[in-house]
Amino acid sequence: PASVDLVNPLMGTDSSYELSYGNTYPAIALPFGMNAWTPVTGKMGDGWGYTYSAHRINGFKQTHQPSPWMNDYAAFALLPMTGAVKVKEADRASWFSHKAEESRAWGYKVYLADYDVTTEIVPTTRAAHFRFTFPETRDAHVLLDGYAGGSMVSVDPARRRITGYVRNNHGGVPANFRNWFVVEFDKPFTVSQTFDGSGTLTAGRGAEGDHVGAVISFATKKGEQVGARVASSFISAEQAQRNLDREIGRDTFDQTSAKARAAWSAELDRIKVDDPDIDNRRTFYSALWRMLQFPRQFHEIDARGQQVHYSPYNGKVHAGPLYTDNGFWDTWRAVFPFFALMYPERDGEIMQGLANTYKESGWLPEWASPGHRSVMIGSNSANLIADAWLNGVRGFDVETLYAAMVKNATTSEGRPRDARGKVLTAVGREGVELYNQLGYVPYDVGINENAARTLEYATADFSLSRLAAALGKSDDARKYAAHAQNYRKLFDPQSGWMRGRNKDGSWSTPFSPYKWGDAFTEGNSIHYSWSVMQDVQGLIDLMGGD
């Protein structure tokens, strides 16, 4: 079989909050797409949107969720139904079976047993094409749920459209954040209603509030197929329509499907795997498929064909690219080196997006979704920027990014704040002034995960020194190469492990190398003691041999 046919998007969905394996959803998306779609089995606002063990689907939502811990933003859902209109998630949810579900790299199809309706979805970068196959009924409906957190719907029967916006998010957005959407149906509808969060239906064409939605209704013949084209924009309603016209236009469902399959084939076929074990090949291509969904493009193409983006950092629209939904603590070691090797042009554009982030917010992102979020530790943006430049990636403003890296290594003042005015400690380097003074972030000054921070800052300083050297900044290169040796300050020769250290130089006590968290991040000293990728020989010497 072709590489694209080996992808199984359900891999990793057999997950739960309590036993967190996989944590993935069957994404309906193109490579690096601005939007993805997914069937929803969970409750509104729950990060576990689709879980394999669930039995009912309550909607198909546009999603931007990079992980359940970060959760979603700008989500809204569609659901076809027949019979009496049911609005609330638990009421409207339909039984489905994995036997009547097809999840592929380029699309998704499922039979909703309660309604005798088959739903199919195929993606473009900023839009999606739906095809609903209805039974014979006078009561066929499509529901649009704008979800809680601010939504607006407007129904236009003459143009067979629903337009509106949603504002739901879990942080990292300015006050004017909106995801504008347009849904165009290829069948006229006679009845339109709106609903609110309490589930109250009202005859009418418009609603706005914390949680609103719309329902359109029509009659269908047995086996009649109704198409819906959906696009969205973070810029404006006009741009959402432009995205729809540009990416789907008058294409049929089958044409959109073929284009999506071709887009995924082109990327997956770049790597040929000759392992005779088909399950190994399935695992490989399913993982590669998922890897190529993030970071997502946050930019759009304007009327002149130029890249523009709404900034989740300052709320304005700017020229140029922007990418988001990535945490560099998680991705700098493997994903970004892969991009530098396999996707140098894309990597250059991602780097230019980082330069734009710095220009718009004054800081490099460490976890963006869609704007700055206060999650994880380190200064790992430095690693992927230096890695890109030193491996020949070009097409970005490296001097701006170098200045941003130096700022991270110099000050923690003026970092962005959340809606409640709290400093986002994951942006920049928490404790950098003490790190520069002592060579480490102390254990006893109220900064958690201090030993892990120290080790990661030292690795970032190595990256800084290598980029400085490549840019001809030899004084900086020497300075940061010396800082890259700061890992030595936390090596405790008595125990043979890295250890938290107090401000006065004494070791933190009691010490167990098995203790999870505390001075470390999602691990313990036995994990983090190896976090000296910049000087393997130096660590060998400290530990006493190979």
Side-chain angles (χ1 to χ4, degrees):
S3 58
V4 73
D5 292 311
L6 292 170
V7 172
N8 177 8
L10 296 176
M11 212 179 262
T13 64
D14 189 7
S15 180
S16 66
Y17 172 76
E18 295 81 10
L19 296 169
S20 161
Y21 328 124
N23 292 339
T24 60
Y25 50 86
I28 303 149
L30 284 196
F32 307 105
M34 190 173 90
N35 308 319
W37 289 79
T38 182
V40 181
T41 62
K43 290 189 176 79
M44 176 176 68
D46 187 346
W48 277 261
Y50 176 100
T51 46
Y52 192 80
S53 58
H55 303 298
R56 289 185 176 91
I57 287 172
N58 62 54
F60 302 93
K61 78 168 173 173
Q62 189 188 91
T63 177
H64 306 89
Q65 176 169 298
S67 87
W69 314 108
M70 301 305 291
N71 215 305
D72 211 348
Y73 62 89
F76 62 97
L78 296 178
L79 183 71
M81 60 177 76
T82 55
V85 175
K86 289 177 276 196
V87 169
K88 289 193 158 180
E89 256 174 355
D91 300 337
R92 73 191 189 216
S94 167
W95 284 83
F96 78 107
S97 164
H98 295 301
K99 293 190 179 87
E101 177 187 44
E102 293 173 27
S103 186
R104 304 193 187 281
W106 67 93
Y108 181 85
K109 178 179 182 179
V110 71
Y111 176 69
L112 300 175
D114 286 54
Y115 301 125
D116 192 19
V117 177
T118 296
T119 297
E120 299 169 87
I121 316 169
V122 287
T124 73
T125 300
R126 299 172 188 86
H129 213 143
F130 281 72
R131 183 164 69 188
F132 306 116
T133 306
F134 282 97
E136 181 168 357
T137 176
R138 299 187 61 76
D139 294 306
H141 321 283
V142 178
L143 170 146
L144 186 150
D145 191 340
Y147 288 153
S151 37
M152 185 273 279
V153 290
S154 175
V155 185
D156 182 352
R159 298 179 70 183
R160 304 200 293 258
R161 300 196 318 170
I162 306 174
T163 55
Y165 64 74
V166 293
R167 302 187 57 193
N168 57 80
N169 66 82
H170 286 82
V173 301
N176 68 346
F177 174 74
R178 300 264 191 296
N179 184 26
W180 303 88
F181 62 81
V182 54
V183 189
E184 282 184 2
F185 296 90
D186 63 9
K187 181 180 173 67
F189 48 86
T190 48
V191 181
S192 67
Q193 301 175 84
T194 62
F195 62 87
D196 61 22
S198 70
T200 305
L201 274 161
T202 311
R205 295 184 181 175
E208 190 169 8
D210 175 61
H211 181 183
V212 300
V215 184
I216 58 152
S217 305
F218 39 80
T220 51
K221 300 185 185 73
K222 183 174 167 55
E224 184 173 347
Q225 294 189 319
V226 176
R229 299 170 171 89
V230 194
S232 63
S233 167
F234 295 105
I235 295 172
S236 67
E238 297 75 27
Q239 183 63 42
Q241 185 68 46
R242 191 174 290 126
N243 292 344
L244 185 62
D245 295 343
R246 177 179 271 114
E247 296 189 8
I248 297 183
R250 295 297 103 206
D251 283 1
T252 64
F253 180 90
D254 290 332
Q255 285 171 315
T256 307
S257 180
K259 284 181 178 179
R261 189 179 192 277
W264 275 114
S265 293
E267 302 304 355
L268 299 171
D269 285 348
R270 291 167 68 148
I271 298 185
K272 294 278 187 281
V273 179
D274 57 15
D275 190 319
D277 184 331
I278 191 167
D279 282 335
N280 287 349
R281 299 204 309 277
R282 281 180 179 134
T283 298
F284 177 83
Y285 283 112
S286 298
L288 179 60
W289 170 82
R290 206 166 280 291
M291 176 180 176
L292 295 177
Q293 291 169 29
F294 299 97
R296 75 173 71 256
Q297 298 172 64
F298 207 72
H299 53 268
E300 307 175 44
I301 308 300
D302 71 9
R304 297 171 311 160
Q306 302 298 307
Q307 289 180 335
V308 291
H309 62 270
Y310 166 84
S311 172
Y313 303 101
N314 66 18
K316 299 181 179 133
V317 176
H318 298 272
L322 195 75
Y323 285 77
T324 191
D325 288 327
N326 218 257
F328 298 153
W329 186 89
D330 307 77
T331 55
W332 77 263
R333 295 169 183 79
V335 175
F336 276 93
F338 178 89
F339 289 163
L341 287 169
M342 294 293 294
Y343 287 89
E345 299 83 9
R346 174 81 62 181
D347 201 35
E349 191 172 88
I350 293 168
M351 295 303 140
Q352 186 55 36
L354 294 181
N356 289 335
T357 298
Y358 180 65
K359 288 175 191 161
E360 291 157 30
S361 74
W363 296 88
L364 286 167
E366 298 298 335
W367 231 124
S369 183
H372 291 304
R373 302 277 292 273
S374 208
V375 180
M376 304 313 295
I377 61 144
S379 195
N380 298 306
S381 51
N383 302 327
L384 45 107
I385 293 164
D387 191 57
W389 186 261
L390 289 160
N391 281 292
V393 174
R394 294 296 182 266
F396 62 95
D397 178 359
V398 70
E399 289 290 347
T400 292
L401 288 180
Y402 181 78
M405 288 159 66
V406 169
K407 182 176 179 179
N408 269 2
T410 308
T411 182
S412 67
E413 292 301 307
R415 288 177 295 169
R417 294 173 183 267
D418 68 13
R420 294 189 298 275
K422 199 164 169 246
V423 171
L424 301 180
T425 56
V427 180
R429 298 190 187 186
E430 177 75 352
V432 70
E433 288 84 2
L434 285 162
Y435 172 83
N436 287 339
Q437 179 195 333
L438 303 170
Y440 60 94
V441 180
Y443 181 86
D444 58 348
V445 295
I447 298 175
N448 61 355
E449 303 165 276
N450 39 77
R453 291 178 197 275
T454 300
L455 294 167
E456 297 204 18
Y457 297 166
T459 304
D461 286 334
F462 170 80
S463 295
L464 239 174
S465 88
R466 291 296 303 274
L467 184 56
L471 297 177
K473 302 173 195 293
S474 46
D475 288 353
D476 276 7
R478 277 191 294 277
K479 172 182 168 180
Y480 290 109
H483 286 193
Q485 294 294 309
N486 279 337
Y487 72 89
R488 296 172 181 273
K489 305 257 180 25
L490 292 193
F491 184 76
D492 168 23
Q494 243 187 321
S495 67
W497 297 111
M498 298 289 175
R499 186 168 171 182
R501 192 166 198 174
N502 295 320
K503 196 174 177 187
D504 67 4
S506 61
W507 296 109
S508 68
T509 53
F511 172 67
S512 163
Y514 300 105
K515 185 172 186 187
W516 178 273
D518 191 35
F520 300 99
T521 301
E522 291 190 10
N524 59 26
S525 176
I526 294 177
H527 299 116
Y528 255 97
S529 291
W530 312 104
S531 189
V532 187
M533 287 137 299
Q534 70 273 24
D535 186 12
V536 175
Q537 190 57 52
L539 186 64
I540 287 170
D541 297 342
L542 278 182
M543 286 186 163
D546 290 1

